């Protein structure tokens, strides 16, 4: 019986879509275990990916950053290299923005759904969405941007987030499985978990 992935097209397995992932499995280029939603026992799907606490380079990270309940990803706050484009292009909530987080040095092009747009500062609050979104609709291609902040739920792996500390964390669904560091500038205990805001994002 063929296992069927959840259809989220999250890209965490390294392919653009769940359908492409299945094709790669059939050709031998991938295995079911490459999908973070695959459960070995029974071949079912887990609700969210699991994290080992060690990234692709062997760095131990303190926590993983998950989405708020009912949302596709943690909130990501970005500033295009040309912040004036937010006002010039009239970027609004619901729009799709594409570009590479060149500020911290990530080589992966991202597709982002805008939640809020500030025409004064140029800060865009976004969800990260699957790469297929950019093929289905028109996007504002800002090409390169800085990552100003992340906000989401911290899943503690090795050490809980500490206000004012620079800590290593893994953004949920990071296609490179590469941990980042950031300054923790908000920690709130809520019923859904530890709500954190992280700023001064670096890949190091």
């Amino acid at each position: 019986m063929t296992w069927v992935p959840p259809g989220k097209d999250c890209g965490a397995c390294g392919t653009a879509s769940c359908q492409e992932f299945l094709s790669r499995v059939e050709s031998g280029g991938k295995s079911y275990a490459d999908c973070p939603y695959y459960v070995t026992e029974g071949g079912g799907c887990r609700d969210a990916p699991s994290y080992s606490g060690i990234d692709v380079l062997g760095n131990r990270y303190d926590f993983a950053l998950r989405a708020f309940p009912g949302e596709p990803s943690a909130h990501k706050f970005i500033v295009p290299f040309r912040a004036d484009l937010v006002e010039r292009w009239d970027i609004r909530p619901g729009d799709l923005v594409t570009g590479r987080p060149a500020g911290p040095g990530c080589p992966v092009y991202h597709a982002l759904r805008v939640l809020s747009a500030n025409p004064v500062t140029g800060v865009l609050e976004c969800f990260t969405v699957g790469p297929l979104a950019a093929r289905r609709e028109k996007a504002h291609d800002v090409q390169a941007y800085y990552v100003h902040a992340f906000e989401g739920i911290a899943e503690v792996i090795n050490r809980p987030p500490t206000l004012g500390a620079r800590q290593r964390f893994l953004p949920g669904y990071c296609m490179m499985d590469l941990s980042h560091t950031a300054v923790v500038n908000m920690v709130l205990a809520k019923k859904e978990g530890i709500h954190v805001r992280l700023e001064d994002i670096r890949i190091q």
Side-chain angles (χ1 to χ4, degrees):
M1 180 177 177
T2 302
W3 178 74
V4 179
K8 293 179 179 290
D9 295 341
C10 67
C13 64
T15 65
S17 68
C18 291
Q19 189 59 48
E20 181 183 335
F21 171 73
L22 284 176
S23 297
R24 295 281 298 278
V25 170
E26 291 174 2
S27 67
K30 290 283 183 182
S31 70
Y32 289 141
D34 291 322
C35 174
Y37 291 92
Y38 180 66
V39 177
T40 303
E41 295 183 5
C45 284
R46 55 170 60 94
D47 292 332
S50 60
Y51 301 100
S52 67
I54 300 175
D55 72 8
V56 69
L57 296 180
N59 296 313
R60 290 174 60 87
Y61 51 88
D62 292 334
F63 55 90
L65 189 66
R66 289 194 182 277
F68 295 113
E71 297 186 348
S73 77
H75 293 202
K76 185 176 184 177
F77 298 79
I78 71 165
V79 182
F81 275 22
R82 284 190 55 193
D84 63 299
L85 293 179
V86 173
E87 182 177 18
R88 179 174 295 188
W89 290 353
D90 192 26
I91 298 176
R92 300 183 179 190
D95 287 354
L96 189 70
V97 170
T98 56
R100 185 172 73 86
C106 177
V108 179
Y109 229 70
H110 287 59
L112 309 168
R113 182 72 62 192
V114 178
L115 296 172
S116 67
N118 188 319
V120 177
T121 63
V123 173
L124 297 172
E125 179 183 7
C126 310
F127 287 137
T128 300
V129 296
L132 286 181
R135 301 180 188 178
R136 295 172 177 156
E137 63 185 276
K138 183 179 179 181
H140 298 287
D141 186 15
V142 299
Q143 298 187 19
Y145 60 83
Y146 298 100
V147 180
H148 167 60
F150 280 108
E151 202 166 321
I153 300 298
E155 178 184 325
V156 178
I157 309 295
N158 291 307
R159 190 163 64 99
T162 302
L163 185 65
R166 174 169 288 279
Q167 291 183 251
R168 188 174 292 278
F169 73 101
L170 184 71
Y173 312 119
C174 176
M175 294 177 68
M176 295 180 64
D177 190 29
L178 189 60
S179 61
H180 302 35
T181 70
V183 175
V184 180
N185 78 352
M186 184 178 73
V187 183
L188 300 173
K190 295 188 175 181
K191 63 179 181 180
E192 59 265 27
I194 304 172
H195 179 163
V196 295
R197 182 178 173 88
L198 310 170
E199 295 192 349
D200 192 17
I201 312 299
R202 304 177 190 178
I203 299 178
Q204 54 183 193

